[in-house]
């Protein structure tokens, strides 16, 4: 007896099952790809936000430092002016005292 050995064909149920399995495998693969893409995008967004925050902090630090240095310069100038006016006023009290010193001779003549 000779049998014809040829290609075996799948039954319609087996064919449907294989197609369904292939569809599910591709679907899972696509979901996995989309999730990885979302992770990658989220990572980049977090990095950009972190970088932006650091830049803003740096700018704020520079602005505050400049403002502080300006205030320190103003205080220093005010203190220098106060110091110089104090130096100029050192002999002023003695001069005023001499100018307002009572004339002893005139007082003695008035008393006589």
């Amino acid at each position: 007896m000779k049998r014809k050995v040829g290609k075996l064909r799948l039954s319609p149920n087996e064919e449907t099952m294989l197609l369904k399995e292939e569809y599910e495998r591709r679907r899972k693969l696509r979901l996995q790809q989309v999730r990885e893409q979302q992770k990658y995008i989220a990572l980049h967004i977090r990095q950009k936000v972190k970088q932006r925050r650091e830049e803003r902090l740096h700018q704020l630090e520079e602005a505050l430092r400049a403002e502080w240095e300006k205030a320190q310069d103003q205080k220093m100038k005010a203190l220098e002016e106060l110091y110089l006016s104090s130096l100029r006023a050192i002999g002023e009290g003695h001069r005023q005292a001499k100018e307002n010193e009572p004339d002893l001779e005139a007082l003695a003549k008035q008393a006589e």
Side-chain angles (χ1 to χ4, degrees):
M1 269 174 77
K2 282 192 172 184
R3 277 189 155 175
K4 274 188 173 179
V5 178
K7 251 186 172 178
L8 295 175
R9 295 206 76 203
L10 297 174
S11 71
N13 286 341
E14 291 174 329
E15 191 175 337
T16 305
M17 188 176 70
L18 284 176
L19 287 173
K20 195 173 190 179
E21 286 175 0
E22 181 65 19
Y23 173 78
E24 286 299 316
R25 185 186 69 79
R26 287 184 181 182
R27 184 175 158 270
K28 287 179 185 177
L29 183 63
R30 180 65 185 144
L31 283 173
Q32 196 174 24
Q33 288 173 344
V34 168
R35 285 181 184 146
E36 286 180 24
Q37 258 183 342
Q38 287 174 341
K39 272 189 208 175
Y40 180 76
I41 291 169
L43 176 66
H44 278 282
I45 289 172
R46 284 192 303 271
Q47 287 174 343
K48 285 181 183 178
V49 167
K50 183 178 178 182
Q51 182 181 7
R52 214 176 304 140
R53 184 182 303 130
E54 287 174 0
E55 287 174 4
R56 286 182 186 162
L57 283 174
H58 185 67
Q59 289 172 352
L60 180 62
E61 176 189 2
E62 286 181 2
L64 289 174
R65 184 178 306 279
E67 186 178 321
W68 180 80
E69 287 176 358
K70 184 179 177 183
Q72 292 299 100
D73 286 343
Q74 289 175 348
K75 286 179 185 177
M76 185 70 107
K77 286 179 184 176
L79 288 173
E80 281 179 17
E81 289 176 16
L82 182 62
Y83 175 72
L84 291 175
S85 69
S86 295
L87 282 180
R88 284 190 292 267
I90 284 177
E92 192 70 30
H94 292 294
R95 272 180 257 152
Q96 286 180 358
K98 277 188 178 181
E99 288 175 5
N100 293 334
E101 191 175 273
D103 190 6
L104 295 177
E105 290 176 12
L107 287 174
K109 284 182 185 177
Q110 278 181 350
E112 288 177 7

